[in-house]
């Protein structure tokens, strides 16, 4: 675990997946590609409560509005087959499959850090200043955190879900995620045995080493025979053997849920501006990153059907054309909770 996740974390810390030095501002690179017809999913009265300045944590609450809103939405450009193309050939299974000799918890930690690194580039793109000297995603353009008809809230210090502008929600989510993946307790990079490998020198029941000069084992005291091995080893949880805390899996689920919501907002509110306006090739790159994200999330059961719903039409296209293999789509390696 130590070298594996630590190297990934160091790579993330270096600019957090930003652009190479000297690259131009994306808002200055827009080509005249035209604007595809799309609805404005952020047509919601602006309401930026003061409480958002004291937000503390992600909220599992989702206010998903359907019915009239859903019917009034224009067809989404990115749900069309011709615009669901990826920037890579084949499917994402080779990138999502766990290496044979790697612990699953280590692999999920790596995937969580890597997926956030990829997402960070697209977040930075919508945070770029546009011609009006305001970020592309701003409280006026995106007064609430939405993904189509789904609305998301953030809990304040009192644990009350509060509606905040999308740009604020995304920054709060970034801060929460970075706080987790850079926390050596939540995402440890050291070996569970400490700085050195465990010693497997032969010992006798009395805990006397074979190198102590004793030629005869010294019997240990009586043991309790009516206790199971699980009782003797204490409580178990996912990732314990790899050195992860008991809260690790719950933290991973929360990180993936937050990333999914950000992807949903990027597609529904910013697919045309800035990504289509930047260059049409940006859309296959965005599709590739999101397809990779969904493939891993579905393969290991990190994303629920409810969380995927705002992007389900696009996901269905990728499942149908094999970009997301059937075993991944069916959650072949879903983690038992």
């Amino acid at each position: 675990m130590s070298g594996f996740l630590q190297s990934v974390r160091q790579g993330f810390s270096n600019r957090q997946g930003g652009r190479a030095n000297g690259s131009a501002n994306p808002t200055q690179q827009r080509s005249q590609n035209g604007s595809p017809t799309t609805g404005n999913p952020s047509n919601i009265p602006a309401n930026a409560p003061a409480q958002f300045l004291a937000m503390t944590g992600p909220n599992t609450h989702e206010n998903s509005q359907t019915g009239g809103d859903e019917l009034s939405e224009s067809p989404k450009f990115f749900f069309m087959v011709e615009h669901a193309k990826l920037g890579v050939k084949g499917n994402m299974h080779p990138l999502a499959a766990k290496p044979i000799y790697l612990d699953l918890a280590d692999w999920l930690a790596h995937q969580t850090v890597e997926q956030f690194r990829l997402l960070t580039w697209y977040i930075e793109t919508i945070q770029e200043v546009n011609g009006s000297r305001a970020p592309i995603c701003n409280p006026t353009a995106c007064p609430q955190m939405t993904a189509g008809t789904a609305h998301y809230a953030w809990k304040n210090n009192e644990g009350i879900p509060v509606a905040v502008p999308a740009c604020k929600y995304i920054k709060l989510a970034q801060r929460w995620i970075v706080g987790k993946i850079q926390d050596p307790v939540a995402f440890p990079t050291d070996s569970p045995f400490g700085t050195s490998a465990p010693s497997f020198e032969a010992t006798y029941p009395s805990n006397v080493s074979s190198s102590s000069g004793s030629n005869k084992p010294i019997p240990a005291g009586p043991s309790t025979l009516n206790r199971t091995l699980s009782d003797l080893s204490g409580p178990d949880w996912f990732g314990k053997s790899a050195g992860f805390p008991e809260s690790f899996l719950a933290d991973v689920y929360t990180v993936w849920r937050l990333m999914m919501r950000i992807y949903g907002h990027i597609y529904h509110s910013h697919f045309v501006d800035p990504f289509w306006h930047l260059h049409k090739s940006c859309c296959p790159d965005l599709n590739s990153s999101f397809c990779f994200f969904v493939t891993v999330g579905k393969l290991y059961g990190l994303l629920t059907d409810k969380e995927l719903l705002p992007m389900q039409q696009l996901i269905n296209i990728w499942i149908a054309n094999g970009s997301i293999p059937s075993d991944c789509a069916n959650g072949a390696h879903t983690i038992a909770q």
Side-chain angles (χ1 to χ4, degrees), residues 44-330:
I44 307 166
N47 180 20
Q51 296 98 311
F52 77 80
L53 296 174
M55 298 294 110
T56 59
N59 177 30
T60 57
H61 169 75
E62 172 187 343
N63 179 17
S64 189
Q65 299 180 357
T66 56
D69 289 344
E70 191 173 57
L71 294 175
S72 64
E73 276 202 319
S74 302
K76 296 297 183 179
F77 194 63
F78 47 83
F79 285 157
M80 300 178 184
V81 174
E82 58 267 33
H83 300 297
K85 297 178 181 178
L86 306 181
V88 296
K89 295 182 179 180
N91 61 55
M92 299 293 176
H93 186 270
L95 297 176
K98 180 185 74 69
I100 296 175
Y101 298 108
L102 191 66
D103 186 271
L104 180 56
D106 284 341
W107 183 239
L108 293 187
H110 160 69
Q111 284 290 351
T112 300
V113 175
E114 176 65 8
Q115 295 294 341
F116 184 58
R117 184 188 69 82
L118 294 173
L119 176 60
T120 297
W121 190 91
Y122 302 106
I123 293 175
E124 290 177 347
T125 301
I126 66 173
Q127 290 173 344
E128 292 284 353
V129 175
N130 59 21
S132 63
R133 296 186 178 182
I136 295 169
C137 184
N138 60 72
T140 301
C142 307
Q144 290 192 13
M145 181 61 179
T146 62
T149 59
H151 296 184
Y152 306 110
W154 194 273
K155 285 183 179 178
N156 62 12
N157 289 332
E158 288 72 42
I160 301 173
V162 178
V164 298
C167 57
K168 185 64 180 180
Y169 186 102
I170 292 172
K171 287 182 178 179
L172 290 167
Q174 285 182 283
R175 185 186 308 167
W176 193 91
I177 294 171
V178 170
K180 287 295 180 182
I181 65 179
Q182 293 189 350
D183 182 355
V185 176
F187 276 65
T189 57
D190 293 329
S191 166
F193 300 107
T195 56
S196 60
S199 173
F200 294 103
E201 183 183 14
T203 57
Y204 294 109
S206 60
N207 207 28
V208 177
S209 172
S210 60
S211 61
S212 63
S214 174
N215 294 323
K216 183 179 180 180
I218 302 174
S223 60
T224 304
L225 300 178
N226 59 354
R227 295 183 63 188
T228 64
L229 290 176
S230 59
D231 289 338
L232 293 171
S233 62
D236 194 16
W237 60 81
F238 179 82
K240 180 180 180 180
S241 61
F244 290 94
E246 190 171 359
S247 60
F248 170 70
L249 189 56
D251 289 338
V252 168
Y253 283 134
T254 302
V255 171
W256 282 73
R257 183 168 60 249
L258 290 173
M259 291 194 290
M260 178 61 215
R261 294 178 179 185
I262 295 172
Y263 265 121
H265 179 75
I266 287 174
Y267 270 94
H268 281 272
S269 299
H270 301 290
F271 182 83
V272 175
D273 186 14
F275 295 101
W276 179 270
H277 287 164
L278 278 172
H279 197 278
K280 291 181 181 179
S281 63
C282 292
C283 299
D285 290 341
L286 173 61
N287 286 343
S288 297
S289 295
F290 182 56
C291 184
F292 181 23
F293 172 80
V294 172
T295 300
V296 177
K298 289 186 73 66
L299 177 62
Y300 300 106
L302 303 177
L303 297 168
T304 65
D305 291 340
K306 182 179 180 181
E307 289 293 345
L308 293 169
L309 189 59
M311 298 300 300
Q312 192 62 56
Q313 293 183 54
L314 179 58
I315 294 170
N316 289 343
I317 293 173
W318 290 333
I319 293 175
N321 66 23
S323 297
I324 299 178
S326 58
D327 60 337
C328 297
N330 296 328

